[in-house]
Amino acid sequence: MESAPDLRVHAEVELYVDDPAIDARITLQASYDLAAGRYVIDSVTAARADGGEEVNGAMLRDLRLQEYVRDGLTALGAVELEGSGAFRLEDVVARRADIVAAGPSDPDTLRWVARIYRAAEIVSARPAKAVQDALGLTQPTATVWIRRARDRRLIFPFGFTEWDRPNG
């Protein structure tokens, strides 16, 4: 069974990080792990920035890898809504009034809840918080809506379609 079947992910991505707190160029290789239901980091490269400090253990301990992956995947648009391009929470917020007005009994509303939830899981963000923020719901209301989407088998951790990156 598929969860939010209209979401697609790239099989592999390469992310470049510009963190002002780290004086190095960081490159992350990540791939979508079907068993985990999210992107996992395959490799990290840290290179000394021009005129920057050497790469050392102290610098590496300061890397915020999960944050880099979450922010990088979101900026890259690594999760796509089939037929619409990148799935961005900002686009959901723009539709918030219509989605919320339809209420949790509406199948389309629950599909949006499932999409938001799964997209957040895929990029290692907090899924319930993503639903809450994107739809402007209280935490208890978001929890009820998520439970309804689960009960209708719209949220399930497996079954996304993967495709290879271009030229790859």
Side-chain angles (χ1 to χ4, degrees):
M1 168 162 280
E2 291 187 10
S3 160
D6 50 0
L7 290 181
R8 295 172 43 136
V9 295
H10 294 275
E12 298 176 348
V13 294
E14 186 169 76
L15 305 169
Y16 303 96
V17 177
D18 182 22
D19 183 345
I22 306 293
D23 195 17
R25 292 183 303 275
I26 309 299
T27 304
L28 298 165
Q29 299 284 335
S31 59
Y32 184 74
D33 184 321
L34 191 58
R38 63 181 174 80
Y39 280 96
V40 295
I41 299 169
D42 296 318
S43 69
V44 178
T45 304
R48 181 178 163 177
D50 294 335
E53 295 183 31
E54 70 175 322
V55 175
N56 57 35
M59 176 189 288
L60 295 176
R61 281 190 297 277
D62 289 339
L63 297 179
R64 298 183 312 276
L65 298 178
Q66 286 305 108
E67 178 183 325
Y68 299 155
V69 169
R70 182 188 64 236
D71 295 347
L73 291 171
T74 301
L76 179 65
V79 179
E80 294 187 3
L81 181 59
E82 204 167 89
S84 298
F87 181 79
R88 300 194 189 282
L89 290 182
E90 300 85 38
D91 298 333
V92 176
V93 170
R95 304 172 114 169
R96 172 190 291 174
D98 293 334
I99 295 169
V100 172
S105 297
D106 182 71
D108 285 336
T109 296
L110 295 180
R111 275 192 286 280
W112 281 108
V113 169
R115 289 173 184 140
I116 296 163
Y117 190 94
R118 281 299 298 139
E121 278 187 325
I122 289 167
V123 300
S124 297
R126 295 175 23 203
K129 181 76 169 134
V131 170
Q132 180 182 344
D133 291 347
L135 298 179
L137 304 173
T138 64
Q139 186 272 329
T141 300
T143 300
V144 168
W145 289 27
I146 291 165
R147 187 176 313 119
R148 285 189 181 192
R150 271 200 188 106
D151 290 347
R152 284 161 183 80
R153 307 206 41 89
L154 296 171
I155 297 175
F156 191 79
F158 307 103
F160 277 85
T161 303
E162 295 182 19
W163 72 90
D164 291 328
R165 61 184 168 185
N167 303 321

